[in-house]
Amino acid sequence: MVRIISFLWFLLIFHACQEKPLQEVYRTKLVSDWEFKAATDSVWMPAKIPGVNFLDLMQNGVISNPYYSDEEKRVQWVGETDWWYRTRFNLPDSLFYFEGRKLVFEGLDTHADVWVNGVLKLHSDNMFRSYSIDIDQAFIPGENELLIRFHSPLQYNRNQSDSLPYRLPDERVFTRKAPYQFGWDWGPSLVTAGIYKPIFISCFQEMDLQDFYVSTLEIQPEQALMFASFSIESYLSQEVEVQLTSPQFADWQETFRLELDSGWNEIQWKFAVANPKLWWPVHYGEAFQYDFDLEVSSERQIRQASVQTGIRTIRLLQEKDRDGRSFFFEVNGLPVYAKGANYIPQDNFLTRVDSSRIERLIAEVLDANMNMIRVWGGGVYEEDYFYELCSQKGILVWQDFMFACAMYPGDEAFLETVEAEAIQQIRRLRKHSSLALWCGNNEVDNGWKDWGWQQQFNYSPQDEAQIYSDYQQLFESILPRLVREHHPGISYHPSSPTFGWGHPESLTEGDHHYWGVWWGMEPFERFNEKTGRFMSEYGFQAFPDWSLIEKYIPQEGRALYNPLMLSHQKHPTGNQTIEHYMNDYFEVPSDLQTFAYVSQLLQAHGMELAIRYHRIKKPYNMGTLYWQLNDCWPVVSWSSMDYHYNRKALHYRARDAFKTFMIGVEEADGEWFVRVNSDSIHDVNMRLEWQLIDFDGEVLAADGKDIQVPALSNQVWERILFDDLPSFNPRRTLWVGRLLSGDQEKARYLHYMVRPQDLELRSGKEVLQVSLEGDYLVLKASGLVKGLYVEGLKQDNYFDVLPGEELRYKWTESLSAKLPLVRSWNDTKKKSHP
Ligand code: BMA
């Protein structure tokens, strides 16, 4: 059978001509005519490449959707099985005239043997690395066969684990594969295999240019000192001319001649650009990027590469101070308060995450007023496009290396593959202006020191010494060295958090994962006392949007403790924990749909408190990243957006709490201290107004003043003595603060004095009028409406409406003239008040 190679990339062959340099490069992906089968099977089935065996099995009708109901448990055999993939492809005669000929595997998942025409050419053991093999005599002009066997990672892990004299806390650590795919407390255990990134042929004449990268070393008053580098594989020793230009610096260029050795050449040099426009994170300025174009020409060949780079410096500062040690990011010398969330992969089956899903997610990050996301160490190093968008939009990326929540082996083969992975990933990602930090791992050091593995696995003192020295070698020696060598100027942090949440130092230095709320069952108000210097994790679970439950859980399973429902709750005591807090802050409704709604109000309530407690402590605290932004399948989890990108209540409330300006109220000694927190880089004239109102809108006290809010400030602007206020019933009264710039409301804060369960609210039906006026949905409240959910409303949702307030929303779904379904805490609470 003759197969055709798809020409998806580019084919640039110009024929020889004496005077002019040539561009002779040939690249094509092997995407067609793939087949696959289980090692134990004889029937080959069509496969899609890049792809994942689970998706191929679904496509061929062998398994049903593992995300549906409890199907996950019926497909566990897939991870226990070895898988074969094969294709045939043609190589034209002319290809063998190229001097450089490679077959490149961008991502094999994971333990794979690769045969070409029956000759074993490669063994891979790391899905985070790319591999390449020479197109040598094993390949022939005409038809070739490529055959790949993927070994079961589960079996591999067991064998490796058995070969050690002690047990490491988790067997998954032996395979360099996305940790979450083995199962997490928000993720299914679906151990994939397959060719999840492209395989392509790459040929070139004379020289191959790679890894072009430009970065900022230092910003001085009138210029920036820059650093550029690229690699070149040359088949000759020869002289080349290098030219670096930028369309934005019209009369600037760097040109020099260079002697290339035959083989691998790495070229680095420094240069300066005058009066550059700097790159800034969102809300701090424009995320401006320059285009840099590189051209390397020899007598007969020319190679080009381009990169977009922001001119900026980013450093993580940790300096001793009177409280302990600071922990903050400085961009171009300016301290930046980090607001955002932790990111996990968007699917268990990675090839389904296309560019539109990446765009959707980054748009949500921006919309929620975040300026940083942490790519958490139990997932994957993301696609370039993800970081490109972050760079374009001004989102800072805290990047973990992919190690999480376990101890890792330290043998030579393991360290060798990890070192190759780290070099490739650092060199791939360093070109992105958004990359702000390399962090060694998630909760490995913290796990070792606090999670009792020593007793659980009965380690001898020698075992302990060995395991921890393996830890230190990788995270305190190898990885920081590689970051220094390949990404100079960017900080490295060995492990997140610096100290576990039980240690007093977690509050005074380092970054902090505070899990006293949720894991420790402490009340939400504890976030106030437990604010560290930089909050890189804290969170609370909520149910996904009801539409997901309807789609993924069959009718008979839709009950809180039904096993089908529980197969989408991966935390061992997740529902009990939600119920416990719900009982303390709201009420526990009896039907699942209402429970799902209240779970979202509950999560939003707790997390909004946390964000405000954190921000109000600026500059002691300089960052707040909640756990977690998104989901990888339909599940009850800590996310603020579910698998279908429905925003949970938290997402909306975080958007408010992350605004540039924030009002906060601290209570002490019979007084309220009203603070205004500004992340604006400008001093701004504003008006601070407040009212104490009852739930029917009667104003009990009010005041206002014009203030000049200094840039990046956080200060008390108002002190309200309780004794000066008229007496009021805290169950029927709230304090409303507003920050106005002209007639624009820049921030609003509703300060309640009791928990939502103790509020005395009138029925929503009585106090809220919902109507459609032309293209507008109109909400009119005569009394306080708490936690209002309007089905289909995207602009805002799960919010409180003040008595007397009238809100109008463009309502495109509207013309059906059918009023949307609404829910409120007023109508959910069993007891309402006349
Ligand atoms: C954090 C994370 C994850 C986990 C989450 C919730 O510490 O790093 O490991 O999913 O806790 O338990």
Side-chain angles (χ1 to χ4, degrees):
M1 226 187 303
V2 179
R3 313 288 163 121
I4 299 162
I5 302 168
S6 301
F7 290 85
L8 285 186
W9 278 21
F10 51 92
L11 175 59
L12 290 172
I13 304 187
F14 301 102
H15 286 291
C17 129
Q18 290 302 334
E19 307 81 44
K20 256 191 128 197
L22 299 172
Q23 177 101 324
E24 288 196 34
V25 179
Y26 172 89
R27 277 198 166 193
T28 186
K29 284 184 189 175
L30 302 189
V31 291
S32 317
D33 300 307
W34 282 93
E35 296 177 313
F36 84 114
K37 72 177 188 73
T40 46
D41 229 329
S42 52
V43 187
W44 291 87
M45 293 173 283
K48 184 167 177 272
I49 301 302
V52 175
N53 57 349
F54 280 89
L55 297 178
D56 290 333
L57 289 165
M58 275 160 75
Q59 189 61 34
N60 284 282
V62 179
I63 59 168
S64 49
N65 183 358
Y67 289 4
Y68 182 70
S69 191
D70 61 350
E71 287 302 315
E72 177 198 353
K73 69 178 187 214
R74 273 177 281 283
V75 296
Q76 289 307 303
W77 62 272
V78 177
E80 295 287 352
T81 306
D82 286 9
W83 294 92
W84 289 96
Y85 277 78
R86 73 175 180 195
T87 191
R88 287 173 179 280
F89 60 98
N90 260 315
L91 293 179
D93 278 355
S94 56
L95 184 137
F96 289 84
Y97 293 104
F98 281 99
E99 284 161 320
R101 300 186 303 269
K102 291 187 194 310
L103 187 60
V104 182
F105 302 83
E106 262 194 17
L108 296 174
D109 173 18
T110 294
H111 300 286
D113 296 318
V114 178
W115 286 267
V116 174
N117 300 327
V119 181
L120 181 64
K121 297 293 291 178
L122 171 73
H123 176 73
S124 77
D125 62 6
N126 189 332
M127 84 183 263
F128 302 125
R129 279 174 70 178
S130 70
Y131 294 84
S132 74
I133 56 178
D134 286 336
I135 297 182
D136 57 9
Q137 56 280 12
F139 294 75
I140 49 169
E143 193 179 77
N144 291 264
E145 188 200 49
L146 182 62
L147 179 68
I148 306 180
R149 180 181 187 136
F150 291 97
H151 297 269
S152 157
L154 293 169
Q155 295 197 23
Y156 175 88
N157 291 346
R158 260 174 242 134
N159 293 340
Q160 289 297 109
S161 183
D162 290 347
S163 70
L164 273 189
Y166 43 77
R167 287 181 64 75
L168 291 176
D170 202 318
E171 281 177 358
R172 66 174 158 78
V173 297
F174 294 102
T175 297
R176 291 308 296 147
K177 171 173 175 59
Y180 78 108
Q181 295 176 336
F182 293 95
W184 218 265
D185 59 3
W186 38 259
S189 165
L190 295 168
V191 183
T192 56
I195 302 159
Y196 85 113
K197 291 194 175 194
I199 297 180
F200 60 89
I201 293 167
S202 171
C203 299
F204 55 89
Q205 265 334 17
E206 243 182 53
M207 56 184 186
D208 188 27
L209 172 65
Q210 288 176 22
D211 275 347
F212 171 45
Y213 141 81
V214 176
S215 76
T216 316
L217 289 175
E218 200 184 320
I219 293 167
Q220 298 171 344
E222 277 162 15
Q223 62 170 15
L225 291 184
M226 308 293 293
F227 173 85
S229 81
F230 63 88
S231 322
I232 203 155
E233 190 179 357
S234 175
Y235 274 78
L236 334 160
S237 319
Q238 57 177 335
E239 202 184 70
V240 289
E241 186 174 281
V242 178
Q243 192 183 62
L244 180 65
T245 54
S246 165
Q248 291 99 350
F249 293 117
D251 37 353
W252 168 86
Q253 72 171 44
E254 287 273 308
T255 316
F256 54 92
R257 296 191 73 78
L258 190 73
E259 265 312 312
L260 289 185
D261 294 333
S262 126
W264 192 256
N265 297 264
E266 184 122 10
I267 292 94
Q268 307 182 332
W269 76 103
K270 292 180 186 168
F271 61 96
V273 291
N275 300 312
K277 188 166 167 180
L278 301 183
W279 180 95
W280 289 98
V282 60
H283 306 304
Y284 283 76
E286 190 187 342
F288 183 82
Q289 300 201 90
Y290 286 92
D291 299 290
F292 285 97
D293 301 318
L294 175 74
E295 199 170 280
V296 181
S297 31
S298 69
E299 237 169 66
R300 292 164 42 80
Q301 297 282 317
I302 183 165
R303 295 287 176 272
Q304 288 159 328
S306 297
V307 74
Q308 274 210 322
T309 306
I311 297 186
R312 55 94 182 100
T313 55
I314 305 182
R315 290 195 302 156
L316 168 64
L317 291 182
Q318 299 189 70
E319 286 162 351
K320 260 200 146 83
D321 58 22
R322 76 191 151 89
D323 303 301
R325 195 181 288 272
S326 64
F327 191 106
F328 67 98
F329 291 88
E330 200 184 67
V331 180
N332 306 329
L334 192 74
V336 167
Y337 188 91
K339 294 179 282 198
N342 285 268
Y343 169 84
I344 63 165
Q346 293 173 62
D347 212 299
N348 204 276
F349 306 133
L350 288 163
T351 52
R352 286 210 283 220
V353 185
D354 57 11
S355 49
S356 68
R357 286 176 70 179
I358 298 176
E359 284 160 13
R360 173 96 197 249
L361 182 119
I362 300 296
E364 290 292 349
V365 167
L366 272 179
D367 182 73
N369 295 315
M370 300 179 179
N371 60 14
M372 178 178 272
I373 40 184
R374 170 172 175 237
V375 177
W376 167 78
V380 294
Y381 306 91
E382 267 303 326
E383 299 287 323
D384 276 307
Y385 189 49
F386 177 96
Y387 303 92
E388 271 166 31
L389 283 182
C390 290
S391 304
Q392 282 168 22
K393 309 290 182 194
I395 307 291
L396 298 165
V397 178
W398 167 318
Q399 179 68 46
D400 284 358
F401 285 98
M402 293 303 129
F403 301 89
C405 304
M407 301 310 287
Y408 283 80
D411 58 277
E412 216 176 294
F414 184 82
L415 293 181
E416 196 181 294
T417 197
V418 164
E419 180 152 349
E421 160 194 334
I423 293 173
Q424 283 186 6
Q425 294 296 346
I426 298 168
R427 291 171 73 98
R428 180 173 72 91
L429 300 185
R430 64 185 180 179
K431 61 179 173 290
H432 300 291
S433 325
S434 49
L435 208 131
L437 178 72
W438 286 100
C439 172
N441 65 69
N442 173 74
E443 297 185 350
V444 174
D445 192 52
N446 165 212
W448 177 251
K449 289 175 180 154
D450 298 323
W451 296 357
W453 289 328
Q454 293 76 357
Q455 294 74 33
Q456 190 185 345
F457 298 100
N458 202 18
Y459 294 140
S460 68
Q462 291 84 340
D463 298 342
E464 282 189 29
Q466 181 64 49
I467 295 170
Y468 199 63
S469 90
D470 287 345
Y471 170 87
Q472 289 179 305
Q473 194 186 359
L474 180 52
F475 299 106
E476 293 173 7
S477 167
I478 296 176
L479 293 178
R481 170 174 56 77
L482 296 177
V483 171
R484 261 195 320 273
E485 281 171 15
H486 298 280
H487 200 174
I490 289 293
S491 307
Y492 173 84
H493 180 46
S495 186
S496 178
T498 313
F499 296 97
W501 59 271
H503 298 267
E505 299 93 322
S506 65
L507 298 176
T508 55
E509 56 186 290
D511 69 318
H512 187 21
H513 294 187
Y514 177 60
W515 284 104
V517 168
W518 183 266
W519 284 96
M521 302 294 257
E522 292 169 9
F524 292 136
E525 290 71 18
R526 202 58 64 81
F527 281 121
N528 194 15
E529 296 145 47
K530 301 288 185 176
T531 303
R533 310 306 297 261
F534 190 104
M535 304 302 293
S536 41
E537 276 189 23
Y538 55 94
F540 195 86
Q541 281 197 347
F543 275 57
D545 194 76
W546 186 249
S547 58
L548 265 78
I549 295 174
E550 282 185 318
K551 185 169 160 74
Y552 292 101
I553 309 293
Q555 176 97 50
E556 70 273 15
R558 291 180 207 151
L560 195 55
Y561 291 100
N562 182 289
L564 301 185
M565 192 68 227
L566 282 176
S567 63
H568 293 253
Q569 164 58 280
K570 294 295 184 184
H571 188 274
T573 56
N575 287 357
Q576 288 89 337
T577 306
I578 298 174
E579 265 195 297
H580 172 91
Y581 280 85
M582 207 182 269
N583 198 42
D584 281 355
Y585 286 86
F586 287 80
E587 283 167 15
V588 182
S590 50
D591 74 292
L592 186 66
Q593 190 170 358
T594 314
F595 187 94
Y597 159 73
V598 180
S599 78
Q600 291 203 19
L601 294 186
L602 175 67
Q603 179 197 36
H605 178 79
M607 294 302 99
E608 188 182 352
L609 279 179
I611 294 170
R612 289 179 186 275
Y613 287 140
H614 298 157
R615 284 191 70 187
I616 213 73
K617 295 188 184 64
K618 185 177 83 175
Y620 183 84
N621 169 272
M622 281 301 285
T624 180
L625 310 179
Y626 64 77
W627 181 265
Q628 71 201 69
L629 177 64
N630 60 311
D631 282 334
C632 66
W633 80 312
V635 69
V636 181
S637 85
W638 296 263
S639 72
S640 66
M641 254 189 317
D642 67 27
Y643 176 58
H644 286 184
Y645 304 88
N646 294 300
R647 298 169 184 160
K648 296 183 184 175
L650 165 58
H651 205 80
Y652 292 102
R653 301 286 57 87
R655 176 169 74 180
D656 270 357
F658 283 150
K659 279 185 176 166
T660 301
F661 296 98
M662 187 193 87
I663 303 172
V665 171
E666 288 169 316
E667 207 172 301
D669 308 324
E671 259 187 290
W672 279 331
F673 296 84
V674 181
R675 281 178 176 273
V676 171
N677 185 324
S678 165
D679 287 337
S680 167
I681 50 166
H682 304 290
D683 300 346
V684 191
N685 291 320
M686 294 190 140
R687 186 164 173 80
L688 175 64
E689 287 185 350
W690 64 265
Q691 289 185 324
L692 188 70
I693 54 173
D694 77 9
F695 292 173
D696 293 325
E698 192 187 330
V699 179
L700 309 176
D703 206 351
K705 58 161 76 151
D706 294 330
I707 57 178
Q708 198 198 28
V709 183
L712 307 174
S713 63
N714 172 26
Q715 76 190 55
V716 174
W717 286 99
E718 185 82 328
R719 297 171 65 165
I720 305 171
L721 261 178
F722 294 166
D723 286 346
D724 290 347
L725 296 173
S727 73
F728 60 85
N729 175 356
R731 292 165 175 259
R732 306 184 65 135
T733 311
L734 85 154
W735 182 92
V736 182
R738 283 199 188 86
L739 199 58
L740 303 164
S741 164
D743 51 9
Q744 258 199 330
E745 189 178 280
K746 292 289 186 188
R748 173 189 282 207
Y749 177 52
L750 308 186
H751 185 67
Y752 290 94
M753 283 146 279
V754 296
R755 292 180 176 185
Q757 63 181 198
D758 295 321
L759 297 173
E760 294 179 0
L761 297 163
R762 281 163 58 198
S763 114
K765 293 186 187 72
E766 203 181 303
V767 295
L768 180 72
Q769 197 190 318
V770 183
S771 60
L772 288 170
E773 289 178 16
D775 276 359
Y776 285 87
L777 176 77
V778 182
L779 306 171
K780 280 187 203 156
S782 59
L784 178 80
V785 186
K786 177 114 188 107
L788 179 69
Y789 166 73
V790 181
E791 193 178 33
L793 183 63
K794 301 275 176 349
Q795 295 94 322
D796 197 359
N797 225 328
Y798 301 92
F799 53 95
D800 297 352
V801 192
L802 292 175
E805 201 162 24
E806 177 177 321
L807 300 167
R808 302 169 77 83
Y809 296 101
K810 191 102 179 130
W811 193 247
T812 38
E813 279 108 303
S814 67
L815 300 173
S816 66
K818 205 172 130 232
L819 287 177
L821 179 121
V822 295
R823 278 176 183 276
S824 64
W825 174 236
N826 304 47
D827 286 337
T828 308
K829 206 169 174 287
K830 285 188 210 95
K831 269 195 292 168
S832 68
H833 291 264

